[in-house]
Amino acid sequence: MNEKDKDFIENFKNYLSVEKNFSFHTLTAYCSDVISYLLWLNDEDCTKVDFNKLREYLYFIQRFEYKKTTIARKIASIRTFYKYLFREKYIENNPSISLSAPKRPKSLPKFLTSDEVEQILDNIKINTPSGFRNRTVIELLWATGMRVSELSNLNFGDLNLEENEIRVFGKGAKERIVLVSDRAKKYLIQYINTARKLVVAPEYSLAEPSDDSPVFINNTGYRLQNQTIRTVINEVVSRIELPKKVTPHVFRHSFATKLIEKGADLRVVQELLGHAGISNTQIYTHISMKHMQDVYNSAHPHS
């Protein structure tokens, strides 16, 4: 890859991080996709290609039999890259405007029943400060429907526990308010007052929290990472031999599904989840309907 392309990648990376506010995972994936594309072009100038050249690249990557979701992301990466080049006036015309992604297969999100969630919560050992922190984290995921990145990014200034509210910043730095159950609030207050300072190992010092201090920290006093939360969940699920793949996002799906089953207004659920459009939220009505059908088929004598 030549120096010009390297500069494009570095500037594109900054654009995704600063202006688009992409997560580290998405940023890394997009940059990797664009680097692969630039390497395929070899010495051809990426600012001189046309739509036919992009189609040629799509034919090339299809031979690797990627999943449709992967193909769709690679197309999105290239479209975003050329949108950036056009905005910065490196190109006069955007060749990727007509580039369309394959339709992604629609599948119902996986979710847990209330009993399964309680089984997981009850098997988190809370006899250590980090164990109590972990229980609090999972309680919040279940009670609020937050994304795991939103939870790990919480600062003290985001908490309004008197009103059972937490401010979160979702995709694209969009701000919203989520509600906290009394039980989750109880765990959170106890964690803040007792366990949080004890999580940190003795060799590390912990300053008094300010509005910008992370709520959830690791044993060195730094912000708790998403992967740590995933590891905690995996360990508990494996220990209790729950026959489901459980990720932090499954708690978000479970939260939304339970609200819909209990008759919550779709617009309210959309607001709590931070969905940009109602179509993203409507899928939970299908989950609820499928659940009702399963109950009907197992309980009705003539089903």
Side-chain angles (χ1 to χ4, degrees), residues 147-286:
R147 300 177 178 92
V148 65
S149 57
E150 294 169 348
L151 186 141
S152 63
N153 285 328
L154 286 180
N155 294 329
F156 275 86
D158 300 322
L159 305 181
N160 180 13
L161 296 182
E162 288 186 4
E163 301 295 333
N164 285 57
E165 295 177 353
I166 295 178
R167 178 181 58 183
V168 299
F169 294 91
K171 292 182 178 180
K174 292 180 180 178
E175 180 181 334
R176 74 180 190 280
I177 300 296
V178 299
L179 305 178
V180 186
S181 67
D182 287 336
R183 189 176 82 172
K185 172 183 172 180
K186 178 181 176 182
Y187 272 96
L188 181 55
I189 290 174
Q190 189 170 344
Y191 159 76
I192 291 171
N193 291 339
T194 58
R196 183 179 183 273
K197 61 177 71 74
L198 299 176
V199 166
V200 180
E203 61 267 28
Y204 297 97
S205 59
L206 185 66
E208 284 298 313
S210 65
D211 282 352
D212 295 328
S213 300
V215 175
F216 294 105
I217 56 177
N218 58 25
N219 64 351
T220 62
Y222 287 97
R223 188 179 301 277
L224 191 68
Q225 297 300 300
N226 299 350
Q227 187 54 47
T228 303
I229 300 173
R230 293 190 178 94
T231 300
V232 168
I233 294 172
N234 289 339
E235 288 176 351
V236 176
V237 170
S238 176
R239 188 169 67 250
I240 65 178
E241 299 182 347
L242 189 68
K244 286 185 177 181
K245 179 176 175 58
V246 183
T247 65
H249 217 68
V250 168
F251 286 93
R252 179 172 165 86
H253 294 323
S254 306
F255 164 82
T257 304
K258 180 54 62 177
L259 289 184
I260 295 294
E261 286 180 355
K262 293 293 185 180
D265 181 86
L266 206 57
R267 290 290 181 184
V268 173
V269 179
Q270 176 192 358
E271 186 69 24
L272 290 172
L273 292 176
H275 284 161
I278 195 69
S279 61
N280 293 328
T281 316
Q282 284 175 328
I283 193 168
Y284 295 108
T285 63
H286 299 308

Side-chain angles (χ1 to χ4, degrees), residues 46 64 77 82 84 104 131 136 169 194 249:
C46 67
F64 296 101
S77 301
Y82 275 103
Y84 161 75
R104 301 188 183 193
T136 305
F169 294 91
T194 58
H249 217 68

Side-chain angles (χ1 to χ4, degrees), residues 11 15 19 82-91:
N11 293 333
Y15 165 73
E19 298 195 34
Y82 275 103
K83 182 179 179 181
Y84 161 75
L85 293 180
F86 180 74
R87 197 196 74 158
E88 296 299 317
K89 296 183 170 36
Y90 290 116
I91 55 177

